């Protein structure tokens, strides 16, 4: 396990030296943010980021994300050129030492929350999801921090129309097509692909979502067994569905989990929840049980603390402030250390 920390590049208010000071963190998880979705990132930009991170004493072995162009998800003829660019991107990332690429296959929208400033009784703030509030949101006017939007606002309406009638089956076929195309490049470069689950793990705004539960992974690995086809095990995304047994899933897919986003949430209703600090006792996700299952299952992936609260008056990017994620990193490092030592002594 290598503990990492998300860094949004030079524009992030959190500096590389802030991250370096979180003991136990070996590297950053980042991306090139200035290139339109669908184009390969330049080696210059990648090298610049790699040099900046190594100068700060950190590694840059994980990319989150290389976004997938909507034409690939839609299975349009133009996907051929975007898949070629994606392959080039994998090669360019590998050339600067990247070992794992996180991506998602959610149509149009990335993760969705309905409240970015959910207030806790102790004064902390976190993200929250209220299913009835979602219905009141206008999908054509929705932007959340950290999204890799592969469309301009003007294209959004048209894009939503293109997805009309898209079945789960068809979307899944398009994912499999994409993976089969890129796997040879992963074999050649050694780069692991780690698909991020749909967040929340159910359809939203009438758009199909296909990476939500255990059966979805079974189907995915049956279709594309290559070991480079793996998972970003996001406990906050998968954990939003009470049907997912995360400890069981962590154990079952431990070797496929190339990257883990560990975070906590607390159910408020059947499918409403708010996010909380990482500690196991702070919510409904059994963080300890998951860490133990990952270690016992032989997971060799990268880990990062995921969404934290804003605490101590920090006005950080919602979910991505420094303090609570740093506390999360330390808590997780401690859990891994304890479980790894215990397992080692057996
Ligand atoms: C949210 C993140 C996601 C994630 C992408 C991966 O906080 O976990 O935006 O980066 O879905 O492609």
């Amino acid at each position: 396990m290598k503990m990492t920390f998300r860094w949004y590049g030079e524009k992030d208010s959190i500096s590389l030296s802030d991250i370096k000071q979180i003991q136990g963190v070996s590297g950053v998880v980042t991306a090139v943010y200035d290139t339109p979705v669908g184009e390969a990132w330049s080696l210059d930009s990648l090298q610049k980021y790699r040099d900046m991170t190594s100068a700060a004493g950190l590694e840059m072995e994980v990319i989150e994300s290389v976004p997938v162009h909507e034409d690939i998800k839609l299975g349009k003829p133009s996907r051929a050129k975007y898949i070629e660019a994606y392959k080039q991107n994998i090669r360019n990332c590998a050339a600067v030492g990247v070992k794992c690429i996180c991506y998602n296959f959610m149509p149009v929208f990335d993760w969705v929350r309905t409240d970015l400033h959910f207030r806790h009784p102790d004064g902390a703030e976190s993200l929250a999801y209220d299913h009835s509030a979602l219905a009141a949101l206008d999908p054509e006017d929705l932007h959340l921090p950290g999204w890799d939007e592969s469309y301009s606002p003007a294209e959004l309406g048209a894009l939503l129309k293109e997805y009309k009638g898209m079945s789960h089956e068809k979307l899944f076929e398009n994912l499999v097509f994409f993976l089969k195309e890129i796997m040879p490049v992963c074999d050649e470069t050694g780069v692991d692909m780690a698909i991020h689950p749909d967040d929340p793990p159910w359809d939203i705004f009438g758009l199909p979502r296909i990476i939500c539960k255990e059966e979805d992974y079974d189907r995915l690995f049956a279709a594309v067994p290559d070991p480079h086809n793996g998972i970003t095990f996001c406990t906050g995304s998968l954990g939003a569905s009470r049907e997912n047994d995360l400890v069981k899933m962590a154990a079952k897919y431990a070797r496929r989990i190339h990257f883990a986003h560990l975070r906590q949430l607390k159910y408020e209703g059947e499918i409403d929840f708010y996010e909380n600090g990482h500690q196991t006792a702070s919510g409904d996700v059994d963080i300890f049980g998951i860490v133990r299952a990952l270690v016992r299952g032989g997971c060799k992936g990268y880990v990062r603390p995921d969404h934290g609260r804003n605490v101590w008056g920090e006005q950080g990017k919602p979910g991505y402030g420094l303090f609570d994620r740093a506390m999360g990193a330390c808590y997780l490092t401690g859990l891994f250390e304890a479980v790894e030592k215990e397992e080692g002594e057996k």
Side-chain angles (χ1 to χ4, degrees), residues 6 64-65 102-104 106 110-111 146 148 196 261 304 306-307 320:
R6 194 165 194 183
E64 177 176 348
S65 315
C102 168
Y103 70 105
N104 73 71
M106 293 178 243
D110 195 333
W111 61 288
D148 300 308
H196 190 285
H261 287 177
R304 74 165 174 81
D306 203 1
H307 303 173
Y320 285 97

Side-chain angles (χ1 to χ4, degrees), residues 112-115 128-138 200 202 204-205 268-273:
V112 174
R113 293 289 172 276
T114 54
D115 189 353
Y129 178 85
D130 174 342
H131 201 60
S132 53
L134 185 77
L137 292 180
D138 175 4
W202 47 75
I204 55 160
F205 305 127
E268 286 235 280
E270 196 42 39
I271 52 172
D272 302 329
F273 60 87

Side-chain angles (χ1 to χ4, degrees), residues 125-147:
E125 279 189 359
S126 72
L127 306 173
Y129 178 85
D130 174 342
H131 201 60
S132 53
L134 185 77
L137 292 180
D138 175 4
E140 296 200 20
D141 189 26
L142 193 60
H143 306 276
L144 291 181
W147 275 9

